[in-house]
Amino acid sequence: MQQINWVPNSFRLTYFVRRQIESGPAPFLESIFYEWARIYCRISNRDRDVMNTKFLIRIIKWLLFPWRMFRLIAGYLPNWLVSRHYLHKGPATLLRFSIYTMVFLPLSLFLIIELSICVNEMIIGQQADYRLVSDGFADYPEGSFPQLGPPVPEIPPMDRNSADREAFYQYLVELYSPVIFQKIANHPEWDMPVFIDFDGNMNPRDNLDSKISSNDLHIGIYGEVTAETNDSFYLTYSLYHLKDYDHPIREYLSTACYHDGDNEGFHLRVDKKSMQVMEVETWFHNIFLLYNRTGESSGTEPIQGPIYLENGTHPVVYAQSWGHGIRLIQKADIKNVKKNVKVMRFMGSRPEVSPEINCKYEDNITYRLKNFDDWYLQADGPFDQDGGVRGTSLFSCEIPADCLKNGQQIKVGRFIAGTNYKKNTWVRPKPMWSWDDPWDDIGIAVWHFFPSMSIESHSGIRLSHQYLYNRPIEKIFHSTVDEMMPCFCFGKQQLHQYPFADVGVFKAGSCRVGQILYWAALSKWFKLYVSHVSGALG
């Protein structure tokens, strides 16, 4: 195989492609893959992997491009048919081309994709099935997620009737604190959850300028009892990361796939009678994922999977690298959580253990807990221009809301401020009250300000909306739930309709039912595989 040095010159590139095409399909595809591997390794800042490129090419020659088998089947068979006078040279050439395009080209592409997924996992550190994983509920009552690392320390019990409600709420936050499986990729420093003020101030614009080292990094998770109703406690947890980043090649091609600052998390409902976690709802990029104990939902959200708890109260959570989407971990993740992962638990009375800033597996990391009061202090402004050099505010832009009865305009920040002011709104980091799922039927800010309404809408469970306590409403607006609820329960979104929902596949009297089913099955397989490739390669 001919090798050339990569030079970004249109004439040389044209000459290279022309020479390779003229030399045949095998050397051409091998050369293209060779150049792709070199660029990939260069962008990934993993120079040592360039040394393995020749080894990869050997694999490609003997595995991905089974040309000897191709010559045996697509070469020997047509020639044998011609020698036997069954075919002329023209039909034999057509047969050879058909075998190549229908069998060996798809086979080669499939093997290239699968090898790329494996290489991507080794170099970048991202697992192939990183998007949505579910165990189902077949063996959920008997199964539990295996404990990796030391358990969360025992939380000293506290009387729920204590007069010090703030202390009791803090006890609940610690009692239900999550076990975080944080996936690590090619920028470990950006995959470590920290407090926004880890650098000494609440201005998020300068966070990326701070140097991260293993010696002084304190892992921080935000958590609070957001609300209490007649029948439930609602707790919210959030992970703030310094940067939402992406696959190096996608970052090279587009600036819209990453931004400074990131904030994703989840909230859970605790039944007041049993004090058990009944539902957990996570924020996964731009959608909510609902988990419960039964696998049943009569609301607008399907159930993604069961809830696994450590010590009976601590939900086990999976946090992605790169975009840091949050979902609950499943037993199907076991094969992928023992590498490129930091397992983090609430510190409690234990000594603090900080992670190493690398991709090494560690299962004994501790984190600190802090509530959102610093966020609530700035939630209603002022709002500096996002990306402004002299900006100091925590938030930018405003969520549109109705006015109060006295005519006062309600203001609450929509985005976490940063230097990404030129980016589209959907890629900018958001506080919890700005998480808005376009596929549900509740308005923006309802999920965090009135969690009973969102859980009831998503799960279909009848819940109490009589609030005994609501932290964000009290801290931000210094008002009551009854007064503020009408201002945010507006503009309910329309559910998206699936375009093929009304196609009559099983329509009576149709003689094409079988054929339609075959095409439907093939189409479903193709879409699933495309989703698999998209998920595995980012």
Side-chain angles (χ1 to χ4, degrees):
M1 182 193 68
Q2 180 184 4
Q3 300 180 6
I4 66 170
N5 294 324
W6 178 262
V7 177
N9 182 282
S10 58
F11 175 78
R12 185 167 187 175
L13 179 62
T14 304
Y15 175 76
F16 161 74
V17 173
R18 180 180 175 183
R19 283 286 306 274
Q20 297 303 321
I21 292 178
E22 290 175 352
S23 63
F28 170 67
L29 291 175
E30 292 171 8
S31 300
I32 289 296
F33 193 89
Y34 173 78
E35 294 301 333
W36 171 84
R38 293 185 61 218
I39 298 172
Y40 184 95
C41 296
R42 184 186 304 173
I43 297 176
S44 301
N45 294 322
R46 301 292 178 90
D47 294 336
R48 65 179 183 273
D49 294 310
V50 179
M51 300 176 62
N52 298 327
T53 304
K54 293 183 178 180
F55 177 71
L56 291 177
I57 297 302
R58 292 180 181 177
I59 297 177
I60 295 169
K61 285 183 177 180
W62 297 102
L63 178 63
L64 300 187
F65 301 99
W67 299 114
R68 293 191 176 184
M69 187 182 298
F70 166 70
R71 290 172 181 172
L72 177 65
I73 299 177
Y76 176 78
L77 179 61
N79 292 337
W80 180 81
L81 293 175
V82 170
S83 66
R84 292 283 181 169
H85 305 288
Y86 296 134
L87 286 178
H88 295 288
K89 290 185 178 180
T93 302
L94 179 62
L95 177 61
R96 184 182 298 108
F97 178 78
S98 301
I99 294 175
Y100 167 72
T101 56
M102 298 298 292
V103 178
F104 286 93
L105 181 60
L107 177 62
S108 298
L109 293 177
F110 171 76
L111 294 174
I112 286 176
I113 292 172
E114 291 301 315
L115 181 61
S116 300
I117 291 173
C118 295
V119 172
N120 182 71
E121 183 178 358
M122 290 187 294
I123 295 179
I124 302 298
Q126 185 68 327
Q127 67 187 66
D129 53 353
Y130 80 101
R131 289 191 177 268
L132 292 180
V133 179
S134 178
D135 289 342
F137 289 80
D139 59 348
Y140 173 60
E142 295 79 19
S144 62
F145 195 82
Q147 181 173 305
L148 302 178
V152 178
E154 291 291 333
I155 308 299
M158 185 174 182
D159 184 7
R160 64 186 300 176
N161 297 318
S162 171
D164 190 348
R165 298 304 291 173
E166 196 68 28
F168 177 70
Y169 289 147
Q170 181 61 30
Y171 158 73
L172 293 181
V173 171
E174 297 177 3
L175 182 65
Y176 297 98
S177 59
V179 177
I180 306 291
F181 281 72
Q182 176 66 65
K183 193 72 174 180
I184 306 297
N186 51 311
H187 280 286
E189 70 277 15
W190 296 338
D191 292 322
M192 305 297 177
V194 296
F195 296 131
I196 288 184
D197 60 347
F198 81 102
D199 60 345
N201 63 71
M202 287 296 293
N203 184 359
R205 296 170 178 83
D206 60 355
N207 283 349
L208 280 175
D209 298 331
S210 303
K211 294 183 179 180
I212 303 297
S213 63
S214 302
N215 297 328
D216 57 359
L217 179 64
H218 304 292
I219 298 298
I221 305 294
Y222 288 97
E224 69 173 15
V225 173
T226 297
E228 178 185 356
T229 63
N230 286 337
D231 59 7
S232 305
F233 294 107
Y234 296 91
L235 290 84
T236 304
Y237 296 90
S238 173
L239 282 69
Y240 172 82
H241 295 86
L242 297 182
K243 184 173 182 177
D244 179 310
Y245 67 110
D246 207 331
H247 192 287
I249 290 182
R250 291 219 303 174
E251 285 194 4
Y252 181 79
L253 297 175
S254 173
T255 60
C257 59
Y258 59 92
H259 54 77
D260 57 324
D262 198 12
N263 181 57
E264 307 207 26
F266 65 98
H267 72 195
L268 53 88
R269 184 181 78 87
V270 177
D271 179 69
K272 292 176 74 171
K273 290 183 179 180
S274 64
M275 295 303 291
Q276 291 185 344
V277 178
M278 303 306 296
E279 288 89 27
V280 177
E281 196 160 48
T282 72
W283 178 241
F284 191 80
H285 301 295
N286 290 297
I287 61 173
F288 294 122
L289 301 180
L290 181 62
Y291 300 80
N292 68 6
R293 291 172 170 267
T294 64
E296 299 178 356
S297 172
S298 59
T300 59
E301 291 289 334
I303 302 301
Q304 295 296 327
I307 303 170
Y308 293 104
L309 302 170
E310 187 173 290
N311 291 351
T313 60
H314 303 280
V316 187
V317 174
Y318 180 94
Q320 291 179 305
S321 56
W322 294 352
H324 309 124
I326 301 295
R327 61 175 174 83
L328 292 194
I329 206 162
Q330 304 287 284
K331 287 189 292 184
D333 291 307
I334 293 176
K335 62 181 181 297
N336 293 313
V337 297
K338 293 187 177 181
K339 59 180 179 179
N340 302 108
V341 164
K342 310 289 186 181
V343 185
M344 306 172 177
R345 293 175 173 85
F346 173 57
M347 181 171 61
S349 58
R350 293 187 299 168
E352 183 175 17
V353 180
S354 298
E356 297 182 18
I357 311 302
N358 54 33
C359 294
K360 178 183 177 182
Y361 170 79
E362 296 179 278
D363 58 16
N364 63 335
I365 306 304
T366 63
Y367 65 77
R368 302 179 181 185
L369 277 170
K370 181 188 290 189
N371 60 33
F372 295 102
D373 284 0
D374 291 339
W375 297 40
Y376 295 152
L377 286 174
Q378 300 192 49
D380 60 348
F383 307 117
D384 293 336
Q385 175 62 39
D386 194 13
V389 177
R390 299 181 180 179
T392 59
S393 69
L394 178 57
F395 303 109
S396 64
C397 303
E398 301 175 14
I399 291 179
D402 291 343
C403 296
L404 296 175
K405 293 181 180 179
N406 60 7
Q408 179 182 356
Q409 179 64 44
I410 298 174
K411 295 181 180 180
V412 62
R414 186 163 191 172
F415 305 108
I416 298 176
T419 59
N420 50 295
Y421 66 101
K422 292 183 179 181
K423 296 184 180 299
N424 294 327
T425 57
W426 64 272
V427 300
R428 296 161 73 181
K430 307 175 184 67
M432 301 73 60
W433 55 81
S434 191
W435 294 344
D436 187 27
D437 189 339
W439 294 86
D440 66 12
D441 61 352
I442 62 172
I444 190 172
V446 172
W447 186 87
H448 186 63
F449 288 162
F450 315 104
S452 65
M453 297 184 64
S454 63
I455 288 289
E456 180 176 284
S457 173
H458 292 162
S459 67
I461 301 173
R462 294 296 299 273
L463 297 170
S464 170
H465 304 308
Q466 185 65 40
Y467 282 83
L468 308 178
Y469 175 78
N470 190 303
R471 193 177 193 90
I473 296 298
E474 294 179 9
K475 296 287 184 178
I476 299 175
F477 305 108
H478 310 287
S479 184
T480 64
V481 172
D482 292 338
E483 184 178 6
M484 300 303 301
M485 187 177 291
C487 302
F488 286 97
C489 300
F490 65 92
K492 291 189 175 182
Q493 305 173 53
Q494 298 297 322
L495 289 175
H496 290 248
Q497 299 295 325
Y498 294 96
F500 303 107
D502 299 327
V503 176
V505 176
F506 296 100
K507 186 179 296 183
S510 174
C511 62
R512 300 184 59 193
V513 170
Q515 182 179 357
I516 294 176
L517 286 177
Y518 289 139
W519 280 110
L522 182 62
S523 175
K524 181 179 180 180
W525 175 87
F526 178 75
K527 292 176 181 177
L528 288 174
Y529 186 70
V530 170
S531 298
H532 164 70
V533 175
S534 174
L537 298 179

